[in-house]
Amino acid sequence: MSSKTTMEIDIRKVSASKINTIDFDKLTFGATFTDHMFFCDYVDGKWQKPQITPYEPFTVDPSTMVFHYGQAIFEGMKAYKDENDDVWLFRPDQNFERFNKSAERMAMPAVDEDVFMSGLHQLINIDKNWVQKGNGSALYIRPFMIATGTGVMATPSPRYRFAIILSPVKSYYSGDVKVLIAEHYSRAANGGIGAAKAAGNYAGQFYPTKLANEQGFQQVIWTDDATHTKLEEAGTMNVFFRINDTLYTAPTSDRILDGITRKSLIEIAQNEGINVEVRPVLVHEIVEAVKNGTLKEIFGAGTAAVISPICGFSYKDVYYELPKVENSFGIHLKEKLTNIQNKLIEDTFGWTVKI
Ligand SMILES: Cc1ncc(COP(=O)(O)O)c(C=O)c1O
């Protein structure tokens, strides 16, 4: 372990693991948690000694500031077990950096790298048996931070808790995803918090997504708030469009989360000789392309599903179905990326980090 992962942590373990009560073939994504959790409190301007304890409830005052003013951020990442039973993280440095960018935007304190990385490594090491091998199985990792100061005054909290919980997951299959292009609602705005992984961004998406679900669409493709002409994200994923043999995806901005899957796919695609253009993608180009047969694929990209193919979209009450492609870039790129994550092929990018 590197010096960034060996910080001293107070550890209190469970007396008996609950792992034998879990049916790993029947996991609902994000609903089962491992035996232990990690946390570290920020008090009087300093991170205190971190702890690993049994997974258990937090007891908090009803006036705890996170309930009232929403200072809450999180990350989503995965650990994978290889054939030799070694456990690997994928680009944890990127999650750490993004976490602290989110913290800054939400006026929360930065988490020390030692705290973040030691928490990850030591917690996963203790709950290593919960990482299953093969077939898309992984351990979903949820680092998060909440305001734990008390009082109903609308100011940044004086106290925070940074915590990590772990959830074993199977491969995530979203089925055929039909999407609705947003013409009225927005997930993020210029100068807003869309680029932060802040809890409120997700709460704000639920209502328009529910309306889309009621019309038979699984997700919303979010457009820019000012003009609703630029295609920005699909649900809680970045989004790629393939027109002929070029992949297009929007540049990151105030409104778009800088996804780690997105940036990894761009590098892999370029390395494979696929032409990738990072530039605003306009609704009218996609409508035009689907009409003239040049739109081959649309897919979402994110940690949970890796790639989620989109089979059709609706815009201005017209539904457009995508053709079935033989040589899907989405399927090819997903295989490459998951093979790197699961150590089935050489990681020439240097992205994987051993626990
Ligand atoms: C809004 C949003 N966009 C994109 C992503 C994809 O980011 P990543 O690839 O880092 O998981 C996420 C998280 O999964 C997200 O919540």
Side-chain angles (χ1 to χ4, degrees), residues 98 187 197 202 233 236-238 257 259-261 301-303:
R98 190 169 67 186
R187 100 168 251 288
K197 228 166 146 60
Y202 300 81
E233 299 218 51
T236 56
M237 290 179 286
N238 295 113
L257 193 82
I260 296 155
T261 315
T303 295

Side-chain angles (χ1 to χ4, degrees), residues 26-197:
K26 289 204 190 95
L27 294 169
T28 303
F29 191 92
T32 302
F33 295 93
T34 65
D35 288 323
H36 298 92
M37 65 184 187
F38 167 93
F39 67 88
C40 186
D41 288 325
Y42 183 85
V43 182
D44 294 334
K46 283 197 304 281
W47 290 103
Q48 308 296 306
K49 191 164 186 201
Q51 301 188 41
I52 289 175
T53 66
Y55 183 93
E56 62 196 8
F58 297 156
T59 303
V60 289
D61 189 280
S63 75
T64 300
M65 288 169 134
V66 64
F67 298 143
H68 304 271
Y69 307 110
Q71 271 185 302
I73 59 168
F74 67 97
E75 268 304 322
M77 49 202 297
K78 281 181 179 167
Y80 309 84
K81 193 173 261 180
D82 70 13
E83 285 307 311
N84 306 319
D85 285 347
D86 287 325
V87 176
W88 298 85
L89 294 171
F90 182 72
R91 309 188 78 176
D93 54 316
Q94 297 289 316
N95 294 94
F96 168 68
E97 274 175 34
R98 190 169 67 186
F99 193 72
N100 277 344
K101 275 190 197 150
S102 301
E104 185 179 12
R105 179 63 184 82
M106 300 304 284
M108 298 167 94
V111 172
D112 298 337
E113 191 174 356
D114 283 14
V115 172
F116 191 96
M117 294 300 175
S118 296
L120 274 181
H121 281 256
Q122 296 190 43
L123 179 66
I124 295 169
N125 216 6
I126 288 175
D127 282 342
K128 221 173 186 165
N129 289 345
W130 290 79
V131 198
Q132 302 286 299
K133 270 192 280 205
N135 250 344
S137 293
L139 189 67
Y140 184 78
I141 305 165
R142 171 51 59 89
F144 63 103
M145 185 179 3
I146 53 170
T148 49
T150 53
V152 290
M153 56 292 267
T155 56
S157 168
R159 289 193 296 281
Y160 297 88
R161 173 164 288 189
F162 166 63
I164 307 174
I165 53 177
L166 308 173
S167 175
V169 292
K170 293 204 308 168
S171 82
Y172 187 100
Y173 177 63
S174 47
D176 273 352
V177 177
K178 291 182 186 169
V179 295
L180 185 67
I181 295 183
E183 293 168 48
H184 171 70
Y185 291 103
S186 303
R187 100 168 251 288
N190 284 325
I193 60 169
K197 228 166 146 60

